[in-house]
Amino acid sequence: MGNRPLDILNDALNTSVIVRLKGTREFRGILQGYDVHMNLVLEEAEELSEGEVVRKIGGVVIRGDNVVYVSP
């Protein structure tokens, strides 16, 4: 039987992930935490555009409603 999505997020804690949001925005950062609504906490976060860093943000909370995918 496969892993549940939250199990995969748990395995990705404290590692670098890419988060795609509605409207084609992407962030890369170290996953520090999440909840059942897929609200995410990233540290050392950077906003990406076409794979290139647009700006460095630092710590950020991303609301789960906006998350399209999380790539470990």
Side-chain angles (χ1 to χ4, degrees):
M1 193 162 185
N3 288 343
R4 297 174 300 172
L6 294 181
D7 292 338
I8 294 168
L9 279 180
N10 196 50
D11 291 343
L13 283 172
N14 300 311
T15 65
S16 183
V17 295
I18 294 177
V19 180
R20 177 80 180 255
L21 304 181
K22 294 178 185 174
T24 70
R25 292 180 74 183
E26 283 189 334
F27 293 89
R28 177 176 53 214
I30 299 172
L31 181 63
Q32 294 296 309
Y34 65 91
D35 65 14
V36 295
H37 304 287
M38 273 195 41
N39 297 317
L40 307 173
V41 178
L42 300 181
E43 290 293 327
E44 300 177 25
E46 303 169 322
E47 185 173 359
L48 305 175
S49 178
E50 299 180 14
E52 300 294 322
V53 175
V54 174
R55 65 181 169 153
K56 295 181 184 263
I57 298 171
V60 66
V61 175
I62 299 174
R63 187 174 170 149
D65 296 17
N66 296 315
V67 174
V68 175
Y69 69 77
V70 179
S71 178

PDB file of all heavy atoms in Angstrom, residues 3-18:
ATOM      1  N   ASN A   3       2.169   5.331   0.311  1.00  0.00           N
ATOM      2  CA  ASN A   3       2.170   6.344   1.370  1.00  0.00           C
ATOM      3  C   ASN A   3       1.046   7.329   1.149  1.00  0.00           C
ATOM      4  O   ASN A   3       0.661   7.626   0.028  1.00  0.00           O
ATOM      5  CB  ASN A   3       3.495   7.101   1.375  1.00  0.00           C
ATOM      6  CG  ASN A   3       4.638   6.262   1.882  1.00  0.00           C
ATOM      7  OD1 ASN A   3       4.428   5.242   2.521  1.00  0.00           O
ATOM      8  ND2 ASN A   3       5.842   6.688   1.603  1.00  0.00           N
ATOM      9  N   ARG A   4       0.535   7.856   2.238  1.00  0.00           N
ATOM     10  CA  ARG A   4      -0.448   8.930   2.161  1.00  0.00           C
ATOM     11  C   ARG A   4       0.296  10.231   1.901  1.00  0.00           C
ATOM     12  O   ARG A   4       1.475  10.368   2.243  1.00  0.00           O
ATOM     13  CB  ARG A   4      -1.232   9.013   3.461  1.00  0.00           C
ATOM     14  CG  ARG A   4      -2.033   7.744   3.739  1.00  0.00           C
ATOM     15  CD  ARG A   4      -2.681   7.775   5.076  1.00  0.00           C
ATOM     16  NE  ARG A   4      -1.622   7.905   6.089  1.00  0.00           N
ATOM     17  CZ  ARG A   4      -1.827   8.111   7.375  1.00  0.00           C
ATOM     18  NH1 ARG A   4      -3.039   8.235   7.833  1.00  0.00           N
ATOM     19  NH2 ARG A   4      -0.820   8.199   8.216  1.00  0.00           N
ATOM     20  N   PRO A   5      -0.376  11.216   1.292  1.00  0.00           N
ATOM     21  CA  PRO A   5       0.311  12.490   0.975  1.00  0.00           C
ATOM     22  C   PRO A   5       0.978  13.151   2.179  1.00  0.00           C
ATOM     23  O   PRO A   5       2.092  13.649   2.068  1.00  0.00           O
ATOM     24  CB  PRO A   5      -0.813  13.356   0.409  1.00  0.00           C
ATOM     25  CG  PRO A   5      -1.778  12.383  -0.166  1.00  0.00           C
ATOM     26  CD  PRO A   5      -1.729  11.186   0.741  1.00  0.00           C
ATOM     27  N   LEU A   6       0.318  13.135   3.339  1.00  0.00           N
ATOM     28  CA  LEU A   6       0.930  13.768   4.505  1.00  0.00           C
ATOM     29  C   LEU A   6       2.136  12.984   5.016  1.00  0.00           C
ATOM     30  O   LEU A   6       3.040  13.560   5.623  1.00  0.00           O
ATOM     31  CB  LEU A   6      -0.105  13.989   5.611  1.00  0.00           C
ATOM     32  CG  LEU A   6      -1.196  15.001   5.269  1.00  0.00           C
ATOM     33  CD1 LEU A   6      -2.162  15.167   6.446  1.00  0.00           C
ATOM     34  CD2 LEU A   6      -0.639  16.341   4.854  1.00  0.00           C
ATOM     35  N   ASP A   7       2.175  11.671   4.771  1.00  0.00           N
ATOM     36  CA  ASP A   7       3.355  10.888   5.123  1.00  0.00           C
ATOM     37  C   ASP A   7       4.552  11.333   4.295  1.00  0.00           C
ATOM     38  O   ASP A   7       5.675  11.419   4.793  1.00  0.00           O
ATOM     39  CB  ASP A   7       3.114   9.390   4.890  1.00  0.00           C
ATOM     40  CG  ASP A   7       2.090   8.795   5.843  1.00  0.00           C
ATOM     41  OD1 ASP A   7       1.871   9.382   6.929  1.00  0.00           O
ATOM     42  OD2 ASP A   7       1.511   7.751   5.495  1.00  0.00           O
ATOM     43  N   ILE A   8       4.308  11.637   3.030  1.00  0.00           N
ATOM     44  CA  ILE A   8       5.383  12.090   2.150  1.00  0.00           C
ATOM     45  C   ILE A   8       5.882  13.462   2.596  1.00  0.00           C
ATOM     46  O   ILE A   8       7.080  13.716   2.625  1.00  0.00           O
ATOM     47  CB  ILE A   8       4.911  12.103   0.681  1.00  0.00           C
ATOM     48  CG1 ILE A   8       4.638  10.659   0.237  1.00  0.00           C
ATOM     49  CG2 ILE A   8       5.928  12.770  -0.227  1.00  0.00           C
ATOM     50  CD1 ILE A   8       3.920  10.521  -1.064  1.00  0.00           C
ATOM     51  N   LEU A   9       4.950  14.356   2.993  1.00  0.00           N
ATOM     52  CA  LEU A   9       5.364  15.656   3.527  1.00  0.00           C
ATOM     53  C   LEU A   9       6.176  15.480   4.800  1.00  0.00           C
ATOM     54  O   LEU A   9       7.166  16.178   5.013  1.00  0.00           O
ATOM     55  CB  LEU A   9       4.149  16.540   3.816  1.00  0.00           C
ATOM     56  CG  LEU A   9       3.535  17.279   2.650  1.00  0.00           C
ATOM     57  CD1 LEU A   9       2.339  18.104   3.119  1.00  0.00           C
ATOM     58  CD2 LEU A   9       4.537  18.169   1.962  1.00  0.00           C
ATOM     59  N   ASN A  10       5.778  14.546   5.643  1.00  0.00           N
ATOM     60  CA  ASN A  10       6.519  14.297   6.875  1.00  0.00           C
ATOM     61  C   ASN A  10       7.947  13.843   6.573  1.00  0.00           C
ATOM     62  O   ASN A  10       8.894  14.265   7.240  1.00  0.00           O
ATOM     63  CB  ASN A  10       5.790  13.262   7.734  1.00  0.00           C
ATOM     64  CG  ASN A  10       6.284  13.263   9.155  1.00  0.00           C
ATOM     65  OD1 ASN A  10       6.367  14.310   9.792  1.00  0.00           O
ATOM     66  ND2 ASN A  10       6.636  12.094   9.647  1.00  0.00           N
ATOM     67  N   ASP A  11       8.106  13.019   5.556  1.00  0.00           N
ATOM     68  CA  ASP A  11       9.442  12.567   5.148  1.00  0.00           C
ATOM     69  C   ASP A  11      10.275  13.721   4.593  1.00  0.00           C
ATOM     70  O   ASP A  11      11.502  13.673   4.621  1.00  0.00           O
ATOM     71  CB  ASP A  11       9.346  11.463   4.092  1.00  0.00           C
ATOM     72  CG  ASP A  11       8.780  10.165   4.653  1.00  0.00           C
ATOM     73  OD1 ASP A  11       8.762   9.992   5.893  1.00  0.00           O
ATOM     74  OD2 ASP A  11       8.336   9.329   3.841  1.00  0.00           O
ATOM     75  N   ALA A  12       9.612  14.756   4.063  1.00  0.00           N
ATOM     76  CA  ALA A  12      10.311  15.897   3.455  1.00  0.00           C
ATOM     77  C   ALA A  12      10.654  16.997   4.458  1.00  0.00           C
ATOM     78  O   ALA A  12      11.280  17.991   4.081  1.00  0.00           O
ATOM     79  CB  ALA A  12       9.471  16.477   2.325  1.00  0.00           C
ATOM     80  N   LEU A  13      10.251  16.840   5.723  1.00  0.00           N
ATOM     81  CA  LEU A  13      10.575  17.856   6.725  1.00  0.00           C
ATOM     82  C   LEU A  13      12.083  18.086   6.801  1.00  0.00           C
ATOM     83  O   LEU A  13      12.870  17.131   6.721  1.00  0.00           O
ATOM     84  CB  LEU A  13      10.056  17.446   8.107  1.00  0.00           C
ATOM     85  CG  LEU A  13       8.565  17.634   8.336  1.00  0.00           C
ATOM     86  CD1 LEU A  13       8.157  17.009   9.667  1.00  0.00           C
ATOM     87  CD2 LEU A  13       8.166  19.106   8.277  1.00  0.00           C
ATOM     88  N   ASN A  14      12.466  19.346   6.933  1.00  0.00           N
ATOM     89  CA  ASN A  14      13.867  19.758   7.047  1.00  0.00           C
ATOM     90  C   ASN A  14      14.683  19.487   5.785  1.00  0.00           C
ATOM     91  O   ASN A  14      15.903  19.396   5.850  1.00  0.00           O
ATOM     92  CB  ASN A  14      14.533  19.133   8.278  1.00  0.00           C
ATOM     93  CG  ASN A  14      13.838  19.550   9.555  1.00  0.00           C
ATOM     94  OD1 ASN A  14      13.593  20.733   9.772  1.00  0.00           O
ATOM     95  ND2 ASN A  14      13.487  18.585  10.378  1.00  0.00           N
ATOM     96  N   THR A  15      14.001  19.334   4.652  1.00  0.00           N
ATOM     97  CA  THR A  15      14.689  19.209   3.368  1.00  0.00           C
ATOM     98  C   THR A  15      14.156  20.290   2.428  1.00  0.00           C
ATOM     99  O   THR A  15      13.107  20.875   2.662  1.00  0.00           O
ATOM    100  CB  THR A  15      14.476  17.825   2.721  1.00  0.00           C
ATOM    101  OG1 THR A  15      13.103  17.664   2.388  1.00  0.00           O
ATOM    102  CG2 THR A  15      14.931  16.698   3.638  1.00  0.00           C
ATOM    103  N   SER A  16      14.875  20.523   1.359  1.00  0.00           N
ATOM    104  CA  SER A  16      14.478  21.526   0.379  1.00  0.00           C
ATOM    105  C   SER A  16      13.331  20.998  -0.479  1.00  0.00           C
ATOM    106  O   SER A  16      13.369  19.856  -0.943  1.00  0.00           O
ATOM    107  CB  SER A  16      15.673  21.879  -0.504  1.00  0.00           C
ATOM    108  OG  SER A  16      15.319  22.895  -1.407  1.00  0.00           O
ATOM    109  N   VAL A  17      12.298  21.826  -0.659  1.00  0.00           N
ATOM    110  CA  VAL A  17      11.151  21.461  -1.491  1.00  0.00           C
ATOM    111  C   VAL A  17      10.831  22.619  -2.430  1.00  0.00           C
ATOM    112  O   VAL A  17      11.203  23.767  -2.175  1.00  0.00           O
ATOM    113  CB  VAL A  17       9.898  21.127  -0.650  1.00  0.00           C
ATOM    114  CG1 VAL A  17      10.117  19.895   0.200  1.00  0.00           C
ATOM    115  CG2 VAL A  17       9.461  22.303   0.198  1.00  0.00           C
ATOM    116  N   ILE A  18      10.137  22.306  -3.516  1.00  0.00           N
ATOM    117  CA  ILE A  18       9.599  23.330  -4.412  1.00  0.00           C
ATOM    118  C   ILE A  18       8.087  23.278  -4.276  1.00  0.00           C
ATOM    119  O   ILE A  18       7.490  22.195  -4.336  1.00  0.00           O
ATOM    120  CB  ILE A  18      10.022  23.090  -5.864  1.00  0.00           C
ATOM    121  CG1 ILE A  18      11.538  23.274  -5.995  1.00  0.00           C
ATOM    122  CG2 ILE A  18       9.281  24.035  -6.810  1.00  0.00           C
ATOM    123  CD1 ILE A  18      12.088  22.983  -7.370  1.00  0.00           C
TER     124      ILE A  18
END
